[in-house]
Amino acid sequence: MDEAVASIRPVDELGVPLGPGHPIGLLHALGARDDWEDLTVAGALLTDLYDLFTKPTVRFLSGFFGPIERGYRDAGFNIEFVPADFRRFAPVLEAQAPRVMATAAALPDAAGWMSLSLHAGATVDELHRAGADPDRVLIVEVSPHFPRTLGLGPYSHRMHVDECDFVVETDRSPIALPDPEPSEIDRAIAGFATGYISDGSTIQTGIGSIPSTIAKLLVEGDGGDYGIHSEMFTSGLKLLHDSGKVTNNAKGIFQGYSITTFAAGNQGLYDWLNDRDDVRFLPVHVVNSAEVIANNANMVSINGAMSIDLFGQVVADTIDGKQFSGIGGHEEFVSGSGLELSDRSLICLPSTATIDGQLRSRITATLMAGSVVTTPRHHLDVVCTEYGAAEMQGRTVRERAAALAEIAHPDFRDELFDAAAGMGRGR
């Protein structure tokens, strides 16, 4: 580890994957150095507190904010957001071409191959390019606690020790995420969402209590023969697998396999993924391709949002214009699931939020000044709140607005209906 840390210069650039692929031990060890003059680290979704990013001469460029990025930013540290959807992380990183690339992996096998474990994502090609370039440095941190996972076909999801400048073994475990406890509102939203999931559907879910509750309802329900094609593999999707209801036999593409590009969940999920044959990790440019998504039979994508206006513009990664999370695969799965009539894209959100003690509607007549749109109105298909589901495709501006007002909280419906009545009529 000391040699790997010393290979990074006081003025340098380091690239790391999104959260589950972080070389945790390396990042902590880098925080012990005080000689940084100008270090830029490119990555996304910090999963641990690192002293490195509290240094005044260290800058972190994040493609996806989590609570740690938000905390560091609010404390005045050098944390900046780089707008890009998940698939575009790869060309952004290629253009940056950090001199040093680092990732986490499982222990090498007898032949020297290291599984990239919990993360394929957008860094695979850049990791290989760094390993092949004598002017760049490739560091791979391996741990017995990271599961060995598999790729598929030409997507091998592994690196060989001979590619690396440094292979560093640590005893670090991947960061485990607690299973969220669903609320009654979450259960109501999930109930409406599962109405769009039929036998043989291919499913994509994100993180959070609503997707987790949807998975639990599917486990308890009568349906089955599901497929999985999801950028993120979660503890909820593991439960669905364990129920025997995931067969991946009706997908039409990647038959027999659940497809993902990274995994995050509890320790039970990580143990379960080890040497698992029926879950395969592919690069994000494959998993999040709109054409690949649409080639799955009866694709149903499930994503969240912060707010939606009556036009159907979705704000999913900012609050009042301030960065909260990231774009990720949100629009890619929303748009990809809308290319065929049999596919559905669901945006699930509670109808209200309480901010500074005041109840606010998440469905608004217009977006607040400074709002940042994540997904445009013409990609929107179905919106679910605890009050119902509103279908958007093929409806006029006025009809869409009225449908959204119908599933808003009762305290705000009248004013939303009044606003909807004049929409699409030259106003």
Side-chain angles (χ1 to χ4, degrees):
M1 181 64 80
D2 290 343
E3 293 179 23
V5 168
S7 73
I8 303 177
R9 303 164 181 165
V11 178
D12 220 334
E13 295 179 335
L14 167 65
V16 297
L18 177 139
H22 284 169
I24 302 171
L26 175 70
L27 291 175
H28 277 295
L30 292 174
R33 280 179 54 176
D34 291 318
D35 63 337
W36 303 116
E37 297 176 26
D38 185 8
L39 176 66
T40 298
V41 183
L45 192 60
L46 293 174
T47 55
D48 204 356
L49 293 168
Y50 297 105
D51 287 343
L52 178 66
F53 301 118
T54 68
K55 311 283 184 179
T57 51
V58 176
R59 185 167 65 134
F60 185 56
L61 306 181
S62 177
F64 199 103
F65 274 23
I68 296 175
E69 276 101 336
R70 294 194 295 271
Y72 280 159
R73 175 201 58 198
D74 295 345
F77 299 122
N78 296 325
I79 308 293
E80 296 184 69
F81 181 68
V82 179
D85 57 35
F86 198 178
R87 191 167 44 155
R88 286 174 174 81
F89 281 9
V92 167
L93 189 62
E94 184 180 0
Q96 293 170 338
R99 191 186 72 88
V100 183
M101 289 292 299
T103 191
L107 292 174
D109 62 17
W113 288 105
M114 301 171 290
S115 165
L116 290 175
S117 193
L118 298 173
H119 186 276
T123 52
V124 175
D125 288 344
E126 201 59 28
L127 289 166
H128 287 296
R129 278 191 284 265
D133 188 338
D135 294 325
R136 299 176 70 184
V137 174
L138 174 60
I139 303 170
V140 176
E141 179 180 325
V142 298
S143 167
H145 304 297
F146 275 74
R148 190 177 80 93
T149 59
L150 305 174
L152 187 64
Y155 310 109
S156 62
H157 191 55
R158 62 183 187 174
M159 303 197 72
H160 198 273
V161 294
D162 289 346
E163 294 182 75
C164 306
D165 295 284
F166 299 93
V167 177
V168 180
E169 184 172 353
T170 74
D171 196 42
R172 296 279 181 174
S173 297
I175 300 298
L177 302 178
D179 292 329
E181 187 65 33
S183 66
E184 289 302 317
I185 289 176
D186 295 335
R187 293 187 181 93
I189 295 170
F192 289 113
T194 54
Y196 289 90
I197 302 173
S198 58
D199 286 4
S201 290
T202 305
I203 303 166
Q204 175 260 331
T205 68
I207 193 171
S209 58
I210 294 174
S212 177
T213 305
I214 290 171
K216 290 175 182 176
L217 290 182
L218 293 176
V219 167
E220 297 165 1
D222 296 328
D225 201 23
Y226 302 126
I228 304 297
H229 184 101
S230 183
E231 71 171 12
M232 179 179 181
F233 200 93
T234 65
S235 302
L237 293 180
K238 170 191 175 294
L239 291 178
L240 197 56
H241 259 269
D242 286 341
S243 72
K245 296 191 173 188
V246 174
T247 65
N248 289 304
N249 289 333
K251 295 173 70 176
I253 183 173
F254 301 125
Q255 290 282 106
Y257 299 104
S258 288
I259 298 299
T260 190
T261 195
F262 77 97
N266 58 35
Q267 187 60 49
L269 169 65
Y270 303 147
D271 295 340
W272 180 86
L273 283 169
N274 190 57
D275 281 328
R276 188 141 197 118
D277 180 69
D278 55 355
V279 179
R280 301 299 180 103
F281 287 70
L282 276 59
V284 72
H285 74 267
V286 179
V287 178
N288 286 29
S289 162
E291 290 74 22
V292 172
I293 293 167
N295 279 332
N296 285 288
N298 300 310
M299 186 76 206
V300 181
S301 70
I302 301 161
N303 290 284
M306 300 296 182
S307 62
I308 299 174
D309 73 1
L310 291 182
F311 288 102
Q313 299 180 104
V314 178
V315 176
D317 64 300
T318 60
I319 296 177
D320 293 341
K322 190 174 182 180
Q323 197 62 44
F324 182 81
S325 56
I327 300 160
H330 188 278
E331 187 185 353
E332 296 164 342
F333 274 92
V334 171
S335 60
S337 299
L339 294 177
E340 294 185 358
L341 190 61
S342 60
D343 298 340
R344 306 311 300 258
S345 168
L346 313 181
I347 298 294
C348 300
L349 75 165
S351 65
T352 61
T354 301
I355 301 175
D356 296 329
Q358 181 180 4
L359 191 69
R360 288 171 52 172
S361 178
R362 290 177 182 255
I363 299 175
T364 59
T366 57
L367 295 180
M368 293 179 59
S371 295
V372 181
V373 173
T374 309
T375 294
R377 61 178 181 166
H378 57 277
H379 285 171
L380 200 60
D381 181 14
V382 180
V383 179
C384 297
T385 73
E386 69 271 30
Y387 294 104
E391 301 197 6
M392 301 287 105
Q393 284 193 1
R395 289 184 162 182
T396 68
V397 172
R398 180 177 53 81
E399 290 169 341
R400 288 157 63 101
L404 287 168
E406 186 69 41
I407 63 168
H409 190 282
D411 289 356
F412 302 96
R413 278 186 203 158
D414 288 346
E415 62 187 81
L416 291 171
F417 276 125
D418 288 344
M423 296 178 66
R425 297 183 183 275
R427 190 174 116 181

